[in-house]
């Protein structure tokens, strides 16, 4: 026990009436120090304690009593503890709750204030006014037109929304929505502000391009559904004929662009009794399924020189057409065949067609350049076009028989060929260098582009001429032929309108050429079968195909058992 | 209520009764009873710390006005409500004193003559002697630090126990014992000078 404890115990004993001597006697070792401290403590305790003066005490008591009465007058009616007044707490028990509603006690009764209702009504009124103001402001912002004060705010909000939607992967939907909004603004703006209308038209074009670009990576079906739905929504705007030119022109242009990019199925007249599946392999992920208007005159057939082989290389490099080369999938009346043939579309899975991004369109100079594209197998010998064409068209009866076989064994691909300047078979040394490095058992049907010469065409490569090809379905392969002016007679570029987002080779054939040498006046995409030992088919169009890029395009048509077949029209009987 | 006189010893039942009446019914008489029981104690507590009777009286009245507002905050314990309530009230007085000291400068002179520390029945001579004795103590108390003075006041003027003092000063009992020892040593040393 320390001295502090001894001192505390002695002080407690002194309070109990014990004397200092008894405490010191218990702790003789601390006697001297204890005595002095205990005496001092007793002296301090024994001193008279100061008290409040009588006046001070009375004054304080009066103040406390007055405040207590005031406190009771204010808070006693609202004191929730009054309900507990009857049940007095026992002396040795703690209350369950101290005093619960101290806030009610501390606050004066507010209901007594006459302006309380007015105050609350004012608050509610102010809140309502603020909400209405914000709502009106939002409406004005959303309905603002270019040139308005709030229009930048609208654009800012849309951009923020666009950032979020882009981050969420809804970029295409966002641009499509922006296109619709801008079109609506344009229709509302009318002729009020020509400058703003022009800017809006430009913005709309950008949004359309952005939408198509954003949706370019989608699957085909999803992209088609999206574009068709978008097109449907936009067509709802096309109801007013009183629009100014800029509005109508912009809307028409927008609709045309979207329609071009959308897959369209067209009934193609053909002599073939069975529907032909058309395959248009493109470089874009979205496979384009097109039914092309073809006639017998639009197709170039190729006589088989060798039995149908099995091409080893499935990849075909196709030149891509620029968007300008794309045409709506409408059939020109003058080109509509008399005997329609429905070409069913399908996709050739094994074919991996790579399309360049840009392709010269309508450039005859480029189209006349010799084709320097590498052939898949350039070392293979090729046969002259004329010979092949002559052998192909020698007997029409054979062609008729082959036409019966073609629907089940041919594959049609899009071909960008210039109909006007298509190579002719009688000029093999210059332009009729379309060689078929593949098996000669394939016929190529070319569907030239419209009069512009830059439109895509469809080439149908049809294996025919051999009974083995027809009797052996396993050898039925899809061939993608391209029409390119090839000087080396080996490469076969394929003209594919894949530069646009739609990758839809529009079929607007003007004229087609056959592989027959006597049909020299017709501009055709000539496919020349070359007797090669390897079972690869390379169809080369004429050099006059403006959409071809012969330098870089390489087409290697390899029949694949799993490829989708396209029924080609019957061989042209032009004599 | 009527039987409560100024300076009466505080009993547990009486105190609890007053607190309950003050909390539930807000009776002014209950607050007056609490004032009679604790006014002089609070005054001494403040006088020792402030050294000024006028300020001590002023702060004492403010402490009880604060008690009227805060009486609902107090929780009645199963026992030892006297010590708990005393500690709570002293703490309230201490806080009020601190507030006052923040607003005003502390007094340097002790107006001990204004303190009515002599009973009416005491003779003049006794009043003078006791006044001198307490005046000597008060003159030496400023030499101590705050905690030593507070311990001297609570333990030997107010007569509180070690536990009550520890509760008021928010220290342990061991610390109060040590502080009590050092306070008596210091006061004895200063009185011997």
């Amino acid at each position: 026990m320390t001295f502090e404890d001894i001192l505390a115990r002695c002080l407690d004993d002194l309070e109990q009436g014990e004397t200092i001597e008894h405490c010191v006697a218990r702790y003789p070792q601390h006697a001297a120090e204890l005595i002095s401290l205990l005496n001092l403590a007793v002296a301090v305790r024994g001193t008279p304690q100061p008290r409040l003066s009588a006046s001070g005490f009375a004054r304080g008591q009066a103040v406390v009593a007055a405040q207590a009465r005031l406190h009771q007058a204010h808070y006693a009616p609202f004191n929730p503890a009054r309900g507990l007044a009857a049940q007095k707490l026992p002396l040795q028990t703690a209350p369950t709750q101290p005093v619960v509603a101290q806030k009610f006690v501390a606050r004066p009764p507010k209901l007594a204030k006459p302006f309380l209702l007015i105050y609350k009504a004012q608050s509610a009124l102010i809140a309502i006014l603020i909400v209405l103001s914000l709502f009106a402001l939002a409406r004005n912002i959303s309905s603002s037109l270019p040139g308005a004060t709030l229009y930048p705010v609208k654009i800012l909000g849309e951009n923020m929304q666009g950032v979020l939607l882009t981050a969420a992967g809804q970029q295409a939907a966002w641009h499509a929505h922006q296109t619709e909004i801008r079109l609506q603004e344009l229709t509302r703006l009318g002729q009020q502000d020509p400058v703003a209308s022009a800017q809006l038209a430009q913005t709309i074009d950008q949004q359309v391009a952005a939408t198509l670009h954003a949706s370019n990576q989608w699957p085909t079906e999803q992209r088609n559904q999206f574009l068709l739905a978008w097109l449907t929504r936009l067509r709802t705007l096309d109801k007013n004929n009183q629009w100014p030119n800029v509005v109508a022109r912009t809307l028409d242009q927008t609709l045309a662009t979207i329609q071009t990019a959308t897959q369209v199925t067209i009934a193609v007249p053909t002599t073939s009794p069975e529907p032909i599946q058309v395959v248009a392999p493109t470089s874009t992920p979205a496979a384009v399924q097109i039914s092309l208007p073809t006639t017998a005159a639009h197709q170039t057939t190729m006589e088989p020189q060798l039995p149908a082989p099995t091409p080893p290389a499935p990849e075909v490099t196709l030149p891509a057409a620029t968007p300008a080369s794309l045409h709506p999938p409408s059939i020109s009346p003058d080109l509509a065949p008399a005997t329609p043939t429905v070409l069913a579309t399908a996709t050739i899975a094994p074919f991996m067609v790579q399309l360049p991004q840009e392709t010269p369109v309508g450039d005859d100079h480029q189209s006349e350049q010799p084709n320097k594209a590498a052939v898949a197998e350039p070392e293979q010998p090729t046969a002259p076009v004329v010979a092949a064409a002559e052998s192909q068209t020698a007997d029409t009866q054979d062609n008729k028989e082959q036409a019966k076989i073609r629907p089940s064994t041919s594959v049609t691909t899009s071909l960008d060929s210039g109909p006007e300047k298509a190579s002719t078979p009688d000029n093999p040394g210059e332009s009729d260098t379309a060689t078929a490095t593949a098996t000669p058992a394939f016929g190529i049907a070319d569907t030239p582009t419209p009069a512009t010469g830059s439109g895509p065409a469809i080439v149908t490569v049809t294996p025919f001429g051999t009974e083995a090809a027809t009797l052996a379905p396993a050898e039925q392969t899809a061939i993608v032929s391209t029409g390119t002016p090839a000087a080396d007679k080996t490469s076969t570029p394929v003209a594919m309108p894949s530069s646009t987002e739609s990758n839809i080779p529009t079929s607007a054939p003007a004229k087609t050429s056959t592989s027959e040498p006597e049909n020299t006046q017709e501009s055709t995409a000539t496919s020349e079968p070359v007797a090669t030992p390897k079972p690869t088919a390379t169809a080369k169009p004429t050099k006059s195909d403006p959409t071809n890029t012969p330098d870089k395009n390489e087409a290697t048509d390899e029949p694949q058992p799993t490829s989708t077949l396209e029924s080609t029209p019957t061989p042209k009987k032009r004599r | 209520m009527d039987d409560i006189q100024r300076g009466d010893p505080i009993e547990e039942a009486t105190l609890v009764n007053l607190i309950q009446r003050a909390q539930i019914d807000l009776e002014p008489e209950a607050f007056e009873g609490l004032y009679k029981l604790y006014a002089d104690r609070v005054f001494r507590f403040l006088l020792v710390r402030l050294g000024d009777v006028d300020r001590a009286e002023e702060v004492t009245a403010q402490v009880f006005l604060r008690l009227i507002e805060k009486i609902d905050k107090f929780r009645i314990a199963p026992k030892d409500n006297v010590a708990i309530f005393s500690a709570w009230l002293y703490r309230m007085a201490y806080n009020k004193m601190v507030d006052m000291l923040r607003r005003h400068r502390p007094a340097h002179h002790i107006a001990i003559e204004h303190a009515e520390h002599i009973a009416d029945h005491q003779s003049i001579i006794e009043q003078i002697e006791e006044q001198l004795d307490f005046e000597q103590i008060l003159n030496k108390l400023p030499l101590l630090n705050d905690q030593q003075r507070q311990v001297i006041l609570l333990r030997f003027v107010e007569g509180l126990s070690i536990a009550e003092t520890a509760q008021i000063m928010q220290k342990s009992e061991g610390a109060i014992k040590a502080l009590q020892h050092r306070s008596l040593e210091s006061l004895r040393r200063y009185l011997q000078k």
Side-chain angles (χ1 to χ4, degrees), chain A residues 72-89:
Chain A
Q72 184 186 29
H74 280 183
Y75 301 112
F78 305 95
N79 190 1
R82 288 177 62 87
L84 303 175
Q87 34 180 317
K88 297 285 181 73
L89 293 175

Side-chain angles (χ1 to χ4, degrees), chain A residues 23 45 102 171 195 202 278 316 330 333-334 338 351 405 503 510-512 521 529:
Chain A
C23 292
R45 285 178 177 174
Q102 177 63 24
Q171 187 176 4
V195 178
Q202 184 178 1
V278 180
V316 177
S330 60
D334 53 346
F351 274 70
I405 303 171
N503 295 324
K511 293 180 180 179
T512 60
Q521 298 300 326

Side-chain angles (χ1 to χ4, degrees), chain B residues 46-65:
Chain B
L46 295 173
L47 179 63
V48 171
R49 305 296 299 269
L50 293 173
D52 189 347
V53 175
D54 293 335
R55 287 187 176 182
E57 288 183 356
E58 179 184 355
V59 175
T60 300
Q62 294 177 2
V63 168
F64 280 93
L65 294 179

Side-chain angles (χ1 to χ4, degrees), chain A residues 76 144 153 196 248 300 331 404 411 497 519 523 555:
Chain A
S144 61
V153 181
T300 300
I331 303 173
K404 297 178 181 178
V411 174
N519 294 332
S523 61

Side-chain angles (χ1 to χ4, degrees), chain A residues 36 48-50 52-54 92, chain B residues 6 44 76 78 116 130 157 188:
Chain A
S36 60
Q49 300 174 355
L52 280 169
S53 62
Q92 300 299 327
Chain B
R6 179 184 177 183
R44 285 192 292 268
I76 299 176
E116 188 181 355
E130 291 178 356
V157 176
R188 185 187 62 178

Side-chain angles (χ1 to χ4, degrees), chain A residues 481-564:
Chain A
S481 65
T482 60
T484 56
D488 54 357
K489 299 181 181 180
T490 55
S491 64
T492 303
V494 177
M496 290 299 296
S498 60
S499 61
T500 61
E501 291 79 3
S502 62
N503 295 324
I504 299 173
T506 59
S507 61
K511 293 180 180 179
T512 60
S513 64
T514 61
S515 60
E516 297 176 356
E518 61 272 16
N519 294 332
T520 57
Q521 298 300 326
E522 295 179 352
S523 61
T524 60
T526 304
S527 61
E528 296 180 353
V530 178
T532 56
K534 293 186 177 180
T536 58
T538 302
K540 277 191 174 182
T542 61
K543 68 174 184 179
S544 60
D545 189 357
T547 60
N548 293 333
T549 54
D551 294 340
K552 298 179 180 179
N553 293 331
E554 176 182 280
T556 302
D557 297 335
E558 297 179 356
Q560 297 294 332
T562 58
S563 63
T564 304

Side-chain angles (χ1 to χ4, degrees), chain A residues 10 13-14 16-26 38 42:
Chain A
C10 289
D13 294 339
L14 289 178
Q16 300 299 327
E18 194 173 352
T19 61
I20 297 176
E21 290 75 13
H22 286 87
C23 292
V24 174
R26 290 203 302 269
L38 292 177
V42 171

Side-chain angles (χ1 to χ4, degrees), chain A residues 3-5 7-8 11-12 15 32-33 36-38 40-69 71-72 75-76 79 81-95 97-99 102 105, chain B residues 6 12-13 16-17 20-21 23-28 31-32 35-36 39-40 43-44 47 57 60-61 64-65 68-69 72-79 81 114-117 119 122 130-131 133-134 137 152 155-160 162 174 177-178 180-182 184-185 187-188 191:
Chain A
F3 180 77
E4 297 168 353
D5 296 332
L7 179 62
L11 290 174
D12 292 339
E15 290 180 0
E33 191 173 5
S36 60
L37 293 179
L38 292 177
L40 179 59
V42 171
V44 173
R45 285 178 177 174
T47 55
Q49 300 174 355
R51 301 170 60 184
L52 280 169
S53 62
S55 59
F57 182 85
R59 188 170 52 251
Q61 184 177 5
V63 170
V64 170
Q67 184 65 24
R69 292 188 184 93
H71 187 77
Q72 184 186 29
Y75 301 112
N79 190 1
R82 288 177 62 87
L84 303 175
Q87 34 180 317
K88 297 285 181 73
L89 293 175
L91 184 60
Q92 300 299 327
T93 58
Q97 293 294 332
V99 172
Q102 177 63 24
V105 176
Chain B
R6 179 184 177 183
E12 181 81 8
V16 170
N17 185 22
Q20 287 179 348
R21 290 165 54 193
Q23 288 181 345
I24 296 172
D25 296 331
L26 304 177
E27 292 183 7
F31 291 107
E32 291 181 14
Y35 180 80
K36 291 179 180 178
D40 291 333
F43 171 74
R44 285 192 292 268
L47 179 63
E57 288 183 356
T60 300
F64 280 93
L65 294 179
I68 295 173
E69 298 176 357
D72 295 327
K73 298 289 184 181
F74 182 77
R75 295 185 178 184
I76 299 176
K79 60 180 181 179
N81 286 288
H114 295 159
E116 188 181 355
H117 54 83
Q122 289 180 324
E130 291 178 356
Q131 182 176 354
D133 292 337
F134 194 76
I137 296 173
I152 294 296
R155 284 288 290 146
F156 307 115
V157 176
E158 298 299 329
L160 300 180
I162 294 291
K177 291 178 181 177
Q180 173 182 256
H181 178 212
R182 292 195 299 270
L184 289 175
E185 287 286 351
L187 183 59
R188 185 187 62 178
L191 288 175

